[in-house]
């Protein structure tokens, strides 16, 4: 019998001879573990709840003109090439603009003063003609856009409610200088598409029209505001 | 010679017998020693185990403030005296990735369409103008439980698990407010002060569970704290110049670093119902810059509701 076998036999004999105490010791350890688990479960009594949100990073929101340069003003002055005088005697003047929201939802606000009698301001969705030389509802240097569906569903804001925010405490406000306000929110699903994804930029055409007759030397201001 | 030889053999046999008995005696003694050792070991072990159990129980007793309260010279003890839970069918959509970013989400609550932090689906995010509600239930297991205090705390993680500076944490905490009520027009009441709320179980009341809704809002503009009512397109927080309105403005005026991005040496005017539009513009710039700082620095915003027993409430 080799030395290792002898030691193994000796160890087995020792375990066999001391099986009682060993079993007792194992039982004690099991009891300790059970009691410890029960005790620690005390700590784990459900006394807190947490939940996590992801914070939206600030949107780089811009109103742009074709060519995607940021715009601060749309030139609405007379343009003999594109102004249209319809059979109903109204002058129609359209301009293209885009809202660059990075594919995020935004709110489009429109406000205009009302000096010109019968003036109408409408917003349309726009489609971009691939060839800039194609005919379109709005054409310019290197672009040609067509009108899509009119954007409806704007929510009006009562002018009196907005007055204090525009004019502060000033009370002598000429009625036609008090803007007409409305707004509409464009959710991600409402944006222009780039494939199946929301496009970074959504295109619009703003159309102003007014009766040609009886409107001379009047000026109105139209505000377009995009906010996230 | 022969007799002498026989005698010698006999003596040798006698000596051998004595030696064998001696060895047996030594072996028996050794076995007895081992038995005694194991008896002492088992008895000592039991004492050690008992001591461990007592220590663990005592630690649990004193470390978990939901279990014990010392009053004077007396100590009241109990097992689980209450639990806090939430309805809903799923954890927040961002919990798992926030856990990967280093936040502790082991106590993640269930969210639902009516109870969430803009974290029900991955197309929702939290930001200026967000609002919603969180609903939870406190259940009491002990008839003598008088109340439970809920502490609202917040944890943050930046992009790629980056830590968020203390200044931005303060801003992010200030911009997300909790109220006890919101009416159907969206006006709030009873802001939860100091992020603490007590849910009472009046004595004699047999109700053993209370469901509570917290209304949270990230106001979009500083003017939402100044203007009141008015159809609420502007999402003003308060319907009228009431106590909640006054208390909110007073809180902002004394905790400006939680609401405004303030550069060194800059002062931001106090809010009031009669403040000038110039002052309001200055506040708006500082408030909006704070929103930008939060949005640029914080990716995960965790809200935790921790319950502890409140006595004498």
């Amino acid at each position: 019998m080799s030395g290792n076998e002898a030691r193994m036999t000796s160890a087995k004999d020792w375990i066999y001879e001391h099986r009682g105490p060993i079993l007792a010791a194992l039982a004690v350890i099991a009891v300790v573990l059970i009691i410890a688990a029960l005790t620690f479960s005390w700590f784990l009594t459900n006394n807190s709840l947490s939940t996590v949100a992801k914070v939206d990073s600030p949107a780089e929101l811009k109103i742009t003109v074709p060519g995607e340069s940021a715009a601060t003003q749309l030139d609405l002055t007379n343009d003999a090439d594109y102004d249209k005088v319809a059979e109903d005697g109204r002058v129609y003047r359209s301009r293209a603009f885009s809202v660059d929201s990075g594919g995020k939802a935004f709110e489009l606000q429109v406000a205009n003063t009302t000096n010109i009698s019968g003036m109408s301001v409408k917003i349309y969705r726009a489609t971009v003609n691939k060839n800039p030389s194609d005919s379109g509802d709005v054409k310019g240097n290197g672009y040609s856009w067509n009108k899509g569906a009119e954007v409806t569903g704007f929510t009006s804001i009562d002018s009196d409610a907005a007055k204090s925010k525009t004019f502060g405490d000033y009370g002598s406000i000429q009625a036609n200088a008090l803007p007409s306000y409305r707004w509409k929110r464009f959710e991600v699903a409402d944006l222009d598409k780039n494939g199946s994804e929301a496009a970074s930029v959504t295109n619009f055409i703003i159309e102003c029209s007014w009766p040609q007759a009886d409107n001379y030397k009047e000026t109105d201001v139209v505000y377009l505001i995009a906010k996230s | 010679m022969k007799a002498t030889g026989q005698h010698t053999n006999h003596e040798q046999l006698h000596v051998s017998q004595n030696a064998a008995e001696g060895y047996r005696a030594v072996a028996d003694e050794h076995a007895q020693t081992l038995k005694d050792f194991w008896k002492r070991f088992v008895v000592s072990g039991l004492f050690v185990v008992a001591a461990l159990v007592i220590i663990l129980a005592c630690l649990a007793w004193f470390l978990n403030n939901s279990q014990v309260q010392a009053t004077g010279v007396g100590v009241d003890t109990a097992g689980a005296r209450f639990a806090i839970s939430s309805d809903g069918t799923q954890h927040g959509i961002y919990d798992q990735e926030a856990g990967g970013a280093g936040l502790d989400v082991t106590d993640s609550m269930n969210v639902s369409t009516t109870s969430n932090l803009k974290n029900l689906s991955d197309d929702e995010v939290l930001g200026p103008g967000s609002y919603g509600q969180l609903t939870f239930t406190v259940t009491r297991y002990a008839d003598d439980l008088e109340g439970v205090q809920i502490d609202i705390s917040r944890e943050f993680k930046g992009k790629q698990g980056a830590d968020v500076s203390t200044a931005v944490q303060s801003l992010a905490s200030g911009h997300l407010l909790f109220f006890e009520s919101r009416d159907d027009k969206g006006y709030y009441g009873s802001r939860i002060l100091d992020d603490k709320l007590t849910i009472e179980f009046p004595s004699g009341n047999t109700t053993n569970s209370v469901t509570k809704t917290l209304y949270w809002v990230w106001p979009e503009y500083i003017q939402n704290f100044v203007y009141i009512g008015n159809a609420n397109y502007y999402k003003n927080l308060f319907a009228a110049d009431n106590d909640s309105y006054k208390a909110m403005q007073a809180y902002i005026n004394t905790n400006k670093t939680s609401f405004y991005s303030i550069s060194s040496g800059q002062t931001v005017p106090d809010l009031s119902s009669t403040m000038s539009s110039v002052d309001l513009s200055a506040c708006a710039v500082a408030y909006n810059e704070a929103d930008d700082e939060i949005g640029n620095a914080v990716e995960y915003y965790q809200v935790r509701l921790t319950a502890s027993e409140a006595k004498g409430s």
Side-chain angles (χ1 to χ4, degrees):
Chain A
M1 185 180 287
S2 70
N4 283 340
E5 287 174 339
R7 277 195 291 276
M8 187 64 76
T9 305
S10 171
K12 285 179 179 174
D13 289 345
W14 186 89
I15 291 170
Y16 182 76
E17 287 168 6
H18 299 92
R19 60 189 183 282
I22 289 173
L23 286 173
L26 289 175
V28 168
I29 290 170
V31 169
V32 168
L33 288 175
I34 290 168
I35 292 174
L38 289 173
T39 307
F40 277 112
S41 71
W42 210 348
F43 288 108
L44 298 177
T45 298
N46 204 11
N47 70 343
S48 71
L49 296 172
S50 74
T51 194
V52 178
K54 185 174 265 187
V55 175
D56 194 14
S57 55
E60 293 290 331
L61 196 62
K62 295 192 289 282
I63 291 183
T64 64
V65 292
E68 298 192 2
S69 56
T72 54
Q73 289 187 338
L74 286 174
D75 183 4
L76 284 169
T77 54
N78 178 50
D79 187 338
D81 290 338
Y82 294 103
D83 280 356
K84 296 169 185 168
V85 181
E87 291 181 355
D88 60 5
R90 292 179 70 86
V91 179
Y92 288 84
R93 187 171 293 168
S94 299
R95 295 290 184 268
F97 73 96
S98 308
V99 177
D100 184 349
S101 66
K104 293 184 177 179
F106 65 88
E107 182 178 299
L108 184 65
Q109 303 175 344
V110 183
N112 64 277
T113 54
T114 56
N115 290 309
I116 299 174
S117 175
M119 187 170 97
S120 161
V121 177
K122 292 183 178 178
I123 307 293
Y124 294 86
R125 302 299 288 259
T127 55
V128 176
N129 294 320
K130 288 182 180 174
N131 188 343
S133 61
D134 287 351
S135 62
D137 293 315
V138 181
K139 286 189 69 175
N141 185 18
Y143 68 92
S144 168
W145 290 15
N146 275 332
K147 281 198 299 192
E150 182 184 350
V151 178
T152 57
F154 278 92
T155 302
S156 295
I157 303 174
D158 178 47
S159 289
D160 286 335
K163 191 189 298 182
S164 64
K165 296 171 180 62
T166 306
F167 297 97
D169 297 331
Y170 182 69
S172 304
I173 304 163
Q174 200 273 331
N176 297 111
L178 191 61
S180 163
Y181 302 90
R182 61 270 193 202
W183 62 277
K184 179 181 173 66
R185 184 154 185 86
F186 291 81
E187 300 297 344
V188 172
D190 301 325
L191 305 184
D192 283 358
K193 294 287 187 292
N194 183 7
S196 60
E197 299 291 316
S200 176
V201 174
T202 297
N203 298 321
F204 298 96
I205 288 175
I206 178 171
E207 178 192 79
C208 303
S209 68
W210 61 91
Q212 187 177 33
D214 305 325
N215 277 304
Y216 300 102
K217 297 183 181 178
E218 287 290 0
T219 302
D220 271 314
V221 182
V222 180
Y223 303 88
L224 287 174
I225 302 165
K227 65 188 276 291
S228 55
Chain B
M1 286 297 289
K2 189 177 180 182
T4 304
Q6 285 176 343
H7 180 71
T8 302
N9 289 339
H10 180 73
E11 283 179 343
Q12 285 176 342
L13 180 61
H14 184 67
V15 168
S16 298
Q17 285 175 338
N18 284 344
E21 286 172 1
Y23 286 137
R24 194 180 308 120
V26 170
D28 289 345
E29 187 181 345
H30 185 64
Q32 187 60 45
T33 303
L34 277 174
K35 283 181 182 174
D36 292 345
F37 168 78
W38 273 106
K39 282 179 184 171
R40 283 196 297 273
F41 177 80
V42 170
V43 171
S44 304
L46 286 173
F47 275 110
V48 170
V49 168
L52 278 174
V53 169
I54 290 168
I55 290 168
L56 288 171
C58 290
L59 281 176
W61 195 355
F62 286 107
L63 288 181
N64 189 340
N65 59 0
S66 69
Q67 311 303 327
V68 60
Q69 183 176 20
T71 53
V73 294
V75 176
D76 301 330
T77 66
R81 291 170 58 80
F82 64 87
I84 180 171
S85 60
S86 58
D87 289 333
T89 56
Q90 64 178 76
H91 290 167
I93 196 80
Y94 301 115
D95 283 10
Q96 191 172 359
E97 59 185 74
L103 288 176
D104 176 8
V105 293
T106 51
D107 55 358
S108 170
M109 68 186 287
N110 281 342
V111 294
S112 67
T113 53
T114 55
S115 173
N116 62 70
L117 196 64
K118 293 292 179 195
N119 56 358
L120 192 62
S121 62
D122 60 7
D123 61 351
E124 294 180 313
V125 285
L126 183 68
S130 297
Y131 63 92
Q133 57 195 56
L134 286 175
T135 301
F136 61 92
T137 299
V138 175
T139 305
R140 72 169 171 181
Y141 301 134
D143 291 341
D144 62 339
L145 184 77
E146 296 175 3
V148 170
Q149 177 175 300
I150 305 296
D151 287 273
I152 303 170
S153 57
R154 301 156 166 90
E155 298 289 338
F156 309 96
K157 278 291 176 189
K159 307 275 190 296
Q160 282 87 45
D163 289 335
V164 177
S165 71
T166 308
V168 174
Q169 287 192 29
S170 176
L171 291 173
S173 299
H175 281 223
L176 189 69
L177 303 169
F178 286 86
F179 292 85
E180 288 195 65
S181 69
R182 182 175 67 217
D183 67 17
D184 55 0
K185 288 182 178 170
Y187 298 122
Y188 294 86
S190 305
R191 191 172 82 83
I192 295 172
L193 300 171
D194 301 324
D195 283 340
K196 295 184 191 303
L197 170 73
T198 301
I199 293 172
E200 295 181 358
F201 292 92
S203 61
N205 192 331
T206 56
T207 301
N208 285 324
S209 70
V210 172
T211 297
K212 186 77 182 174
T213 297
L214 303 180
Y215 298 90
W216 60 265
V217 58
W218 184 329
E220 190 165 5
Y221 307 110
I222 195 66
Q223 68 186 31
N224 297 145
F225 297 99
V226 177
Y227 295 136
I228 52 175
N230 229 343
N232 224 1
Y233 161 73
Y234 293 99
K235 300 173 185 171
N236 295 334
L237 295 180
F238 304 102
D241 187 351
N242 52 30
D243 289 345
S244 294
Y245 171 82
K246 289 183 174 72
M248 187 74 244
Q249 287 190 352
Y251 183 81
I252 294 173
N253 292 339
T254 53
N255 296 275
K256 288 180 179 172
T257 55
S258 294
F259 291 89
Y260 303 119
S261 174
I262 305 173
S263 53
S264 177
Q266 182 189 2
T267 57
V268 178
D270 282 352
L271 295 185
S272 79
S273 59
T274 57
M275 69 190 299
S276 69
S277 57
V278 173
D279 282 351
L280 183 57
S281 293
C283 292
V285 169
Y287 185 83
N288 293 341
E289 284 179 356
D291 275 342
D292 274 1
E293 284 188 25
I294 297 166
N296 287 324
V298 180
E299 179 155 35
Y300 298 110
Y301 195 127
Q302 184 180 46
V303 171
R304 174 167 283 109
L305 309 173
T306 305
S308 57
E309 182 167 350
K311 284 210 168 184
S313 56

